[in-house]
Amino acid sequence: MAPTPVNHQVRLAKRPEGAATREHWQFTTEPVGEPADGGVLVKTLSLSLDPAMRGWLNDAKSYIAPVEIGAVMRAGGIGRVIASKNPDFAVGDTVYGTLGVQEYMLVPKEEIKRSGLAKIDLRAGIIHQWLNVLGMPGMTGYFGLMDVGQPKAGETVVISGAAGAVGQTVGQLARIKGCRVVGIAGGQAKCDWVVKELGFDACIDYKAGAAAVRDGLKAHCPKGVDIYFDNVGGEILDAVLARLARKARVIICGAISQYNNANSMPAAGPRNYLSLLVNRARMEGIVVFDYADRFPIAVAELAGYLKDGRMKSKEDVVVGLDTFPEALNRLFSGENFGKLVLQVAEA
C-alpha cells in the first residue's frame, strides 16, 4: 500500500508591521485527503507571487478579506488534477485557481467556483505564461489599459514598474495599439530590456538620481502624459501627475513603494492631485476580479500576440516552497526581473 502523501503548507503566524519576514510564517504539514463527491484534489505546480499579497496580510477593509491568522497563505497558481469526483475535471487536467501556498489543494464542490478553479489550455502558453501574460497580471494589464485607460493611437503611455508582471504586458499592449510607450523601472538592465526586447520607446531609471524621473518625463514626454499606469505610487506618482496632458487618464493598479510602510499604513495621498483638475484628467482604480467574466476574451487576444511574436513573457522563477518568505520580499526590494513565480513541483 502506497504511503499517504503529506501536504506541506505555509500559514500566516502573525501580522507583520512593515516587511513580512520568516518569523511571520508557520510551516505546517498534514495528510492529503481524498475528494468528496463533486470535489477535486490538485497538486500545485507553480504559484504566482504578487505585490497585492502583502496587502492581504493587513487586518483592514479592502477589496478582499484579509488572510486569517493560522490560515494557509492565499495565492493563485497552476496545478494538476490528481484525483477527481467532479465530471468537469479529469485526472491529468492542468488547472488555474486560488491554490494557496501549499503542495496540494483539496477543493470541495462548493468551493470550486469561489476558488476560481478552471482548466487551462497549454497550447495557448506554457505554465509560467499562464501566471504572467495569460494570468492575473496580464488580465490586470489588459483591462486596466483597455477599459480604464482607453488608449488611442499616437497617445503617450507611461508605466511604472515597467519590467514587472503587469508593466510588461501593459507596455507591449500599448505599443500594439499604436501608442508611444515610456517605462519607469529600477536599474539600467531592466530599462535596456523593456526598450530592446519589449519595444518600449524609452525607459527611465528611477534609481539614477533624485531628479531622474522628473527629468526623464520632461525629455521623453514633451507633450505630456496621456495615460499613466501606476504600479508604485509615492514620489513617482507625484512626478507623473505633474506632467499630465489634457484629458489624461491615470490608472491606479498598485502602490508597491508603500506596502511595507510601518504599521501597514499607506503614505499620504498624492501631493499633485490638483493636476487632475487643471488638466481635466481622471484617476481610477483597477481590481482585476471585476472583469472575471471577460477573461477568456483577453486570454484569446493576448495568446495570439504571444504566438505571432508581438508580445513576450518574462518570468523570474524561484524554486521550493520553503523559499516563500524571502521570495515574496524580492518584489519589494526590486530584485525580481519579470513576473515572480514560485515553482513548487516539476510539471
Side-chain angles (χ1 to χ4, degrees):
M1 184 176 178
T4 302
V6 174
N7 187 16
H8 292 85
Q9 304 164 312
V10 179
R11 298 176 180 269
L12 181 62
K14 60 180 179 179
R15 300 199 186 280
E17 297 289 342
T21 57
R22 189 165 282 266
E23 67 177 358
H24 296 102
W25 306 103
Q26 180 184 12
F27 291 78
T28 61
T29 59
E30 65 179 30
V32 176
E34 288 290 328
D37 286 346
V40 296
L41 176 62
V42 177
K43 180 177 181 179
T44 305
L45 300 176
S46 290
L47 296 170
S48 176
L49 300 187
D50 302 292
M53 296 170 81
R54 176 59 188 83
W56 300 341
L57 305 182
N58 300 333
D59 189 11
K61 184 179 179 181
S62 186
Y63 62 89
I64 192 170
V67 176
E68 297 294 336
I69 300 295
V72 173
M73 178 57 191
R74 182 187 296 134
I78 302 293
R80 189 149 288 140
V81 176
I82 60 172
S84 176
K85 292 186 178 178
N86 187 304
D88 294 332
F89 298 93
V91 171
D93 282 346
T94 305
V95 294
Y96 174 87
T98 304
L99 304 181
V101 185
Q102 57 185 346
E103 291 179 319
Y104 297 90
M105 174 68 171
L106 191 61
V107 191
K109 179 181 179 180
E110 60 273 15
E111 291 291 327
I112 284 179
K113 184 175 182 180
R114 188 179 304 172
S115 68
L117 200 70
K119 290 186 283 189
I120 62 172
D121 185 355
L122 294 181
R123 293 173 297 181
I126 63 174
I127 285 173
H128 293 159
Q129 290 173 334
W130 274 98
L131 291 176
N132 191 8
V133 173
L134 302 180
M136 288 297 177
M139 300 301 98
T140 302
Y142 183 92
F143 291 108
L145 179 66
M146 300 306 296
D147 276 47
V148 181
Q150 299 177 3
K152 302 176 184 65
E155 290 189 319
T156 295
V157 178
V158 173
I159 305 137
S160 57
V166 174
Q168 61 179 272
T169 297
V170 174
Q172 293 179 93
L173 184 59
R175 284 286 292 152
I176 290 168
K177 301 301 179 181
C179 297
R180 173 175 168 77
V181 179
V182 178
I184 303 173
Q188 193 60 47
K190 290 182 180 180
C191 283
D192 287 345
W193 179 70
V194 300
V195 171
K196 295 176 182 177
E197 294 294 323
L198 302 188
F200 284 41
D201 294 283
C203 187
I204 301 163
D205 178 7
Y206 71 83
K207 294 183 177 180
V213 175
R214 184 194 65 196
D215 292 346
L217 290 169
K218 185 177 181 180
H220 298 301
C221 310
K223 296 181 180 179
V225 177
D226 297 296
I227 298 174
Y228 175 48
F229 200 106
D230 184 35
N231 290 302
V232 302
E235 294 179 359
I236 292 177
L237 172 58
D238 274 326
V240 180
L241 287 175
R243 297 293 305 177
L244 293 184
R246 183 71 62 93
K247 292 291 184 179
R249 289 82 75 199
V250 178
I251 304 145
I252 302 297
C253 175
I256 196 169
S257 70
Q258 311 296 303
Y259 291 155
N260 280 331
N261 286 348
N263 300 318
S264 302
M265 293 295 290
R271 290 172 296 178
N272 290 336
Y273 78 96
L274 283 178
S275 179
L276 299 170
L277 168 64
V278 172
N279 294 295
R280 291 76 157 174
R282 63 178 170 85
M283 180 184 289
E284 185 173 339
I286 165 74
V287 175
V288 69
F289 305 123
D290 295 343
Y291 302 89
D293 60 335
R294 293 167 56 199
F295 283 0
I297 297 171
V299 167
E301 183 174 340
L302 296 173
Y305 298 147
L306 285 173
K307 187 165 291 188
D308 67 18
R310 282 188 284 173
M311 186 169 282
K312 297 180 180 179
S313 177
K314 182 177 178 63
E315 295 78 40
D316 186 339
V317 182
V318 180
V319 179
L321 199 70
D322 62 323
T323 68
F324 170 75
E326 293 77 22
L328 182 64
N329 281 329
R330 287 166 60 97
L331 291 166
F332 306 104
S333 63
E335 290 179 63
N336 63 299
F337 196 156
K339 168 71 189 120
L340 190 59
V341 173
L342 183 65
Q343 182 176 308
V344 178
E346 293 284 347

